[in-house]
Amino acid sequence: MELIRDSAGVVCEIRMRRPDNFHAHYRQNGMLQLMVLLFLRYGWGRVEAMPNNPFIDTGQKAIKYRYEAMRIARANESRFNYSEFEMVPSMQITPETTPQMVLEAWRLGVRIFKIYPRFVTTASENGVIDYKALYSVFAEMERINTHVVGKEFPHPCVLSLHPEDPNENVEPFDKESAFIDNHAHDIVLRFPGLPIVFEHISTKALVDFVKSDNAARRNIAATITPQHMIRTYADLLGYTPASNFKLQVDDFCKPVLKPREDRDAVREAAMSGNPKFFYGGDDAPHPVGSKDCRECCAGTFNTDAGLRVCVEEFYQHKKLENLDPFFSESGARFYSFPQNKGKITLRREPSVVPEMHVIPCDEGEARPWLAGETLPWSITAIH
């Protein structure tokens, strides 16, 4: 990474590796087209695709989904530099998943296997309640990493967890802590050869669990979103100047935004340079009618603003030297990807988040997070 300073010694330009995003929802049909174009426009490298919309429970479905996304990217190569863009597919583990299904998917090139707790987030009706019932699946994933990786295929088999307890009697703010106590401790101890990623962490409890030097936890990591870095539930509910003292439906996501102490712990972890923490935006677009309605869908559509918002946080806290670890290095190493060779340039000059995006195929419009707001950074080049 290169920091360019003005005559007063203040950083005015940043040249960093092309960033990776290890958690995003591409959706399907017109929304899939929109998301691929946005990832290309903002210079992302690898962008992991979540498997819950469309529902992807086999390796064949995951590879087909990747093909469709890359077809859209290739069709727009004259407009964007897509040479390093890659959709990273994942497969959902459900109560019906078998060890053989995981092995078959891994042989096809799928390296990430995601579990949603049932009814905890969008499109999770086929999610998991009984994690112990899947221990044979986890054992097969561990066997692949221990006995097969490096012999037949080079990439590891990674378990990705939405870390909230599915028990409906657990309060929303307590779901991450309950997940640690009721599920994570045992899974991590029983399967030390299984790399595990805790997605979109939102509490100090989970930050502390992940960064612990405990030997049993050395094979775990976590993704962090921009909204959990800068927002709190007070912003969501309209109690702050940042919210204009009004409810912010575009801040509504799951896990729900937390109190300031949790936000600060998540932000510190992101900016620390600790290789266990890396970017996963949880980009979650919805048609505007699904946000401005009585039954608002959870999801923050942060694809336009996410990178620039995070860069400003690193800038304000004098942590710019840790941008590359968070965005471009730690995640790639955890998943055994090579480092991106391309770069992007950000300049400290104002840029405005679009008010709205038209979804192709006459599927309506989607409003981005921080729509219409002016951000202090602009992406000026993709190399």
Side-chain angles (χ1 to χ4, degrees):
M1 185 179 65
E2 184 179 4
L3 302 179
I4 311 301
R5 300 178 186 273
D6 62 19
S7 57
V10 177
V11 173
C12 60
E13 193 168 277
I14 300 169
R15 295 171 188 166
M16 57 182 287
R17 289 183 190 270
R18 290 184 69 159
D20 291 329
N21 180 351
F22 285 103
H23 187 126
H25 298 268
Y26 289 67
R27 310 302 191 201
Q28 51 192 318
N29 303 322
M31 194 72 86
L32 171 62
Q33 295 184 46
L34 172 63
M35 294 304 290
V36 171
L37 293 178
L38 289 177
F39 293 138
L40 293 173
R41 178 183 302 173
Y42 292 113
W44 291 96
R46 302 175 190 89
V47 183
E48 181 187 343
M50 292 292 106
N52 61 329
N53 183 2
F55 175 44
I56 297 172
D57 63 344
T58 68
Q60 291 88 345
K61 290 180 182 178
I63 298 304
K64 181 179 179 182
Y65 191 38
R66 180 187 183 279
Y67 174 83
E68 179 61 19
M70 297 308 296
R71 183 191 65 79
I72 295 169
R74 287 191 295 271
N76 289 276
E77 62 181 317
S78 62
R79 297 170 56 193
F80 303 101
N81 176 4
Y82 93 102
S83 59
E84 281 197 307
F85 170 74
E86 179 185 357
M87 178 209 255
V88 179
S90 62
M91 175 185 135
Q92 185 175 350
I93 294 177
T94 74
E96 286 70 46
T97 302
T98 66
Q100 183 62 29
M101 291 168 66
V102 167
L103 179 61
E104 290 173 356
W106 182 77
R107 289 185 184 279
L108 289 173
V110 179
R111 67 180 72 187
I112 303 171
F113 298 84
K114 176 68 179 282
I115 294 183
Y116 292 95
R118 186 172 297 179
F119 294 126
V120 167
T121 190
T122 304
S124 61
E125 59 273 10
N126 56 353
V128 171
I129 295 176
D130 184 1
Y131 287 77
K132 287 184 171 61
L134 290 167
Y135 278 10
S136 63
V137 172
F138 302 161
E140 175 64 7
M141 296 174 69
E142 186 177 53
R143 185 194 71 82
I144 291 171
N145 290 326
T146 304
H147 299 292
V148 185
V149 168
K151 298 177 181 178
E152 297 181 40
F153 296 91
H155 58 260
C157 199
V158 178
L159 177 62
S160 177
L161 297 170
H162 179 126
E164 292 190 282
D165 196 294
N167 186 336
E168 63 184 27
N169 294 316
V170 177
E171 296 294 334
F173 277 14
D174 299 330
K175 281 187 173 292
E176 278 194 1
S177 295
F179 188 88
I180 295 171
D181 294 338
N182 298 330
H183 307 289
H185 271 299
D186 196 52
I187 294 172
V188 170
L189 285 171
R190 285 177 180 267
F191 304 101
L194 177 59
I196 299 173
V197 174
F198 296 95
E199 302 281 7
H200 43 52
I201 62 173
S202 66
T203 61
K204 183 179 185 300
L206 195 44
V207 167
D208 291 343
F209 180 80
V210 171
K211 73 180 183 182
S212 167
D213 286 333
N214 185 308
R217 303 178 194 171
R218 290 176 183 167
N219 214 21
I220 65 176
T223 61
I224 292 176
T225 79
Q227 63 268 23
H228 290 109
M229 279 182 63
I230 72 167
R231 296 294 214 211
T232 69
Y233 77 105
D235 298 310
L236 167 66
L237 297 178
Y239 285 95
T240 64
S243 66
N244 199 26
F245 300 103
K246 296 179 181 178
L247 179 72
Q248 297 295 311
V249 296
D250 293 333
D251 279 340
F252 172 49
C253 60
K254 292 182 178 179
V256 69
L257 300 179
K258 299 299 193 302
R260 187 179 294 112
E261 180 186 14
D262 292 304
R263 187 275 313 274
D264 292 350
V266 169
R267 181 171 58 197
E268 189 279 330
M271 297 188 297
S272 68
N274 187 325
K276 287 187 172 187
F277 301 98
F278 43 85
Y279 187 81
D282 194 12
D283 314 53
H286 291 284
V288 68
S290 295
K291 296 294 287 185
D292 298 346
C293 60
R294 179 181 177 184
E295 297 182 344
C296 174
C297 290
T300 297
F301 180 17
N302 54 33
T303 311
D304 290 279
L307 175 61
R308 288 173 286 168
V309 162
C310 290
V311 167
E312 178 63 9
E313 289 296 306
F314 280 70
Y315 176 85
Q316 292 295 338
H317 289 84
K318 297 180 172 55
K319 295 289 186 178
L320 287 175
E321 70 276 8
N322 290 332
L323 275 175
D324 269 352
F326 182 62
F327 278 103
S328 312
E329 296 174 355
S330 298
R333 289 196 190 100
F334 191 86
Y335 291 104
S336 296
F337 285 112
Q339 300 292 306
N340 291 326
K341 296 180 180 179
K343 295 180 180 289
I344 64 170
T345 299
L346 297 102
R347 184 171 299 148
R348 192 161 175 78
E349 59 184 30
S351 58
V352 179
V353 179
E355 292 280 359
M356 199 74 72
H357 287 293
V358 175
I359 307 170
C361 307
D362 295 322
E363 293 182 15
E365 296 178 312
R367 182 180 57 244
W369 185 52
L370 308 182
E373 293 193 21
T374 299
L375 305 180
W377 293 91
S378 298
I379 298 172
T380 57
I382 301 172
H383 316 277

